[in-house]
Structures are given as structure tokens and as C-alpha cells.
Amino acid sequence: MAQRGAAPRASTLGLGDVRILVPTRSDVEALADRLRFHGIPTADDGATLRFADPWNTRLAVSPETEG
């Protein structure tokens, strides 16, 4: 998403969420736990986990399957 030494991305670029699919909801929950452990704010509506990386790229992680 970003190169080493890159500055935060300006929100005016108009890029939307980067969507990432993981195998199951359990994988989304494991990621959410790791992000919280590291103090990264998240939003989870039960279907998609959303957060921003250090360069302010918005990421949306969802499961491919239920479970």
C-alpha cells in the first residue's frame, strides 16, 4: 500500500477502502484482537472490520465464508 519512508496519504486523493477477504469470520476476529492489542482503532459492524494503516489507507477486512 505504501513504500518505506512514504508520508501519510492525503484523503483528497479520493481512494476508497482497500478490501481484503480472509477465509472466515474467526480470521477477522483474530485480526481485530491483534489490532486492539497494538492500540489501533477499529470499527466492526459484524460483517466487515475497518481500520487505517499508518499511511491513512482505509482497510476493510471481511470473511469469504461464514463461521
Side-chain angles (χ1 to χ4, degrees):
M1 301 304 131
Q3 296 177 338
R4 197 160 112 182
R9 179 175 57 82
S11 61
T12 57
L13 291 177
L15 300 175
D17 292 349
V18 174
R19 296 202 164 277
I20 299 171
L21 294 177
V22 294
T24 67
R25 177 67 192 168
S26 295
D27 298 310
V28 175
E29 291 168 359
L31 174 59
D33 288 343
R34 289 191 300 272
L35 292 168
R36 279 191 292 273
F37 177 81
H38 291 285
I40 298 170
T42 63
D44 188 348
D45 64 8
T48 302
L49 175 69
R50 290 182 167 77
F51 60 98
D53 73 6
W55 299 273
N56 206 30
T57 302
R58 296 179 318 201
L59 302 164
V61 180
S62 302
E64 290 180 317
T65 61
E66 296 297 318

